[in-house]
Amino acid sequence: MNKIMYLEFERCIGCRACQAACRECGDHDAKERNYVEYVDFTESRQTYPMLCMQCKDPACARVCPANAIQITDEGVVLSAMEEKCIGCRNCTFGCPFGIPKFDFEENKMYKCDMCYDRSKHDIAPMCASVCPSDAIRFIDFDEMQQLRRRRSQMNLVEGKKPQEGNKWEYVPEFFGVYTD
């Protein structure tokens, strides 16, 4: 996998095309595995896409007593394997982003896996392939570095500086995330 996911939260227009596309992905059982959240519903209608951040050391996998959540060689954190998942829901409580969801009817966990059946062949995940505002992109590492440099320069011009000590430190380098 030579491409990476790149998010720019402030570009989200709340159309939810990413959610509709996620439901259509081959092995998702018509369930959306990404979400569109409101920044602060009481203050504005600004939304942002929320999908699995593919953490370097994923809490969901660490807290799974059945070792049902696997991590690929490329670093993609997959949904729990049905044959191993015991339904304890530790993963749903352990994730700092609240991404894993539990289906009580089927007694299994599901989460964004970057449409691994597509992304392992450098084909964009469904959400990235339909996002009209480019809030979610599947791009080359060099392009991500260029976008990050441009963002850093703009933040310096605007007087913004990155905050330290928050949940974003868990996000791996191959997953470019930006928010203001």
Side-chain angles (χ1 to χ4, degrees), residues 161-178:
K161 62 180 184 179
Q163 294 184 6
E164 296 179 18
N166 60 25
K167 64 185 177 183
W168 299 105
E169 68 189 33
Y170 298 104
V171 179
E173 195 54 30
F174 76 82
F175 205 100
V177 177
Y178 275 96

Side-chain angles (χ1 to χ4, degrees), residues 40-51:
D40 183 352
F41 189 75
T42 60
E43 295 292 321
S44 86
R45 299 295 181 247
Q46 177 63 47
T47 55
Y48 62 94
M50 200 65 215
L51 42 140

Side-chain angles (χ1 to χ4, degrees), residues 7-9 12 18 35-37 47-51 53 135-136:
L7 301 178
E8 285 189 271
F9 290 154
C12 182
C18 56
Y35 313 97
V36 174
E37 304 283 348
T47 55
Y48 62 94
M50 200 65 215
L51 42 140
M53 295 293 136
I136 306 171

Side-chain angles (χ1 to χ4, degrees), residues 146-160:
Q146 185 179 25
L147 287 167
R148 288 178 113 180
R149 277 193 291 279
R150 191 175 319 140
R151 287 295 297 240
S152 295
Q153 290 166 350
M154 288 305 297
N155 284 344
L156 289 173
V157 168
E158 295 173 9
K160 298 175 185 172

Side-chain angles (χ1 to χ4, degrees), residues 4 7 19 31 35 37 41 50 69-70 76 78-79 81 84 94 102-103 110 116 126 128 146-147 149 163 174:
I4 50 119
L7 301 178
Q19 289 180 294
K31 291 183 183 348
Y35 313 97
E37 304 283 348
F41 189 75
M50 200 65 215
I69 301 171
Q70 301 297 305
V76 177
L78 302 174
S79 283
M81 295 187 304
K84 285 189 168 187
F102 191 78
D103 184 332
Y110 60 95
Y116 188 64
M126 294 295 283
Q146 185 179 25
L147 287 167
R149 277 193 291 279
Q163 294 184 6
F174 76 82

Side-chain angles (χ1 to χ4, degrees), residues 8-155:
E8 285 189 271
F9 290 154
E10 70 277 0
R11 287 177 164 262
C12 182
I13 58 173
C15 68
R16 291 178 167 67
C18 56
Q19 289 180 294
C22 187
R23 283 191 298 271
E24 298 299 319
C25 193
D27 62 347
H28 288 186
D29 302 323
K31 291 183 183 348
E32 55 201 40
R33 296 169 182 220
N34 60 0
Y35 313 97
V36 174
E37 304 283 348
Y38 286 96
V39 173
D40 183 352
F41 189 75
T42 60
E43 295 292 321
S44 86
R45 299 295 181 247
Q46 177 63 47
T47 55
Y48 62 94
M50 200 65 215
L51 42 140
C52 182
M53 295 293 136
Q54 307 299 327
C55 298
K56 293 181 231 180
D57 184 21
C60 62
R62 257 194 345 260
V63 299
C64 179
N67 198 26
I69 301 171
Q70 301 297 305
I71 303 164
T72 68
D73 292 338
E74 296 92 352
V76 177
V77 183
L78 302 174
S79 283
M81 295 187 304
E82 287 184 51
E83 61 275 5
K84 285 189 168 187
C85 182
I86 59 174
C88 68
R89 299 184 314 166
N90 283 357
C91 55
T92 63
F93 303 121
C95 175
F97 299 99
I99 297 299
K101 301 296 180 210
F102 191 78
D103 184 332
F104 288 95
E105 290 177 12
E106 304 224 4
N107 197 37
K108 68 177 184 180
M109 178 279 271
Y110 60 95
K111 61 172 270 318
C112 166
D113 58 6
M114 284 180 49
C115 295
Y116 188 64
D117 57 329
R118 295 169 56 94
S119 61
K120 70 181 173 186
H121 300 295
D122 282 340
I123 301 170
M126 294 295 283
C127 58
S129 69
V130 301
C131 183
S133 64
D134 280 340
I136 306 171
R137 293 186 243 179
F138 193 61
I139 59 177
D140 294 311
F141 185 79
D142 292 338
E143 187 179 351
M144 186 221 28
Q145 291 294 76
Q146 185 179 25
L147 287 167
R148 288 178 113 180
R149 277 193 291 279
R150 191 175 319 140
R151 287 295 297 240
S152 295
Q153 290 166 350
M154 288 305 297
N155 284 344

